[in-house]
Amino acid sequence: TAADLIDRINTAWKSWRESLPTDLSELTAKPADGWTLKDLMAHITWHEQEMINVVRAKALAASEWWILPQDERNENIRALHADDAVEDVVSRLDATHTDLLEALATLEDRDLHDPARFDGMPAEWAPWSLIANNTYEHYQAHT
């Protein structure tokens, strides 16, 4: 159900958000793989914004970056926000998540199981799965 999806998102979000350091300088420390926590936060925000667009439009209204290979898409997201202040990235992360929850609250249970309720969504897709992949499953993958 929509309530179950929102609950899963909230539970995973809380766990992921609590795993992040509160010291902003730690968010910009460069690890061996080259991605800072700030980069990762911008990455999560981008994916959530994409889901907001889908839910609000009730359409597969997605960025052209989705057609790119995953590594290239991810690098584009990282580069797009590389010069953003860490405070702005944190603020945008939290604001976008709030917007996501508001958008999801407009869905009916049947919206989550019927791709025909979203313009342009392939018939073999499950809308709930698309949302899960870009929210709670995504947070868990990066925790």
Side-chain angles (χ1 to χ4, degrees), residues 20-40:
L20 297 171
T22 56
D23 181 347
L24 295 181
S25 67
E26 292 181 46
L27 298 176
T28 56
K30 199 111 174 154
D33 70 1
W35 274 56
T36 65
L37 289 172
K38 180 192 119 179
D39 295 333
L40 185 58

Side-chain angles (χ1 to χ4, degrees), residues 18-106:
E18 288 174 353
S19 74
L20 297 171
T22 56
D23 181 347
L24 295 181
S25 67
E26 292 181 46
L27 298 176
T28 56
K30 199 111 174 154
D33 70 1
W35 274 56
T36 65
L37 289 172
K38 180 192 119 179
D39 295 333
L40 185 58
M41 294 167 82
H43 171 86
I44 293 289
T45 300
W46 186 88
H47 284 266
E48 283 197 342
Q49 186 60 57
E50 288 294 293
M51 293 305 96
I52 292 167
N53 296 343
V54 168
V55 170
R56 286 185 177 159
K58 284 279 186 86
L60 202 54
S63 167
E64 61 190 29
W65 288 354
W66 285 107
I67 63 172
L68 299 174
Q70 182 178 356
D71 288 345
E72 187 177 344
R73 179 177 60 246
N74 287 342
E75 184 53 32
N76 284 353
I77 296 165
R78 192 204 61 72
L80 178 66
H81 298 288
D83 295 330
D84 293 356
V86 68
E87 297 86 357
D88 293 341
V89 171
V90 172
S91 177
R92 198 167 38 246
L93 173 80
D94 292 330
T96 300
H97 187 70
T98 298
D99 290 348
L100 172 70
L101 295 176
E102 290 172 1
L104 292 172
T106 68

Side-chain angles (χ1 to χ4, degrees), residues 122-140:
E124 65 274 10
W125 288 20
W128 72 266
S129 183
L130 175 67
I131 295 166
N133 287 334
N134 290 283
T135 58
Y136 71 87
E137 291 176 352
H138 202 196
Y139 318 145
Q140 291 167 341

Side-chain angles (χ1 to χ4, degrees), residues 54-55 57-61 107-131:
V54 168
V55 170
K58 284 279 186 86
L60 202 54
L107 293 178
E108 298 175 23
D109 294 346
R110 62 188 176 152
D111 294 330
L112 298 174
H113 301 281
D114 184 359
R117 295 180 63 85
F118 293 83
D119 289 339
M121 189 170 288
E124 65 274 10
W125 288 20
W128 72 266
S129 183
L130 175 67
I131 295 166

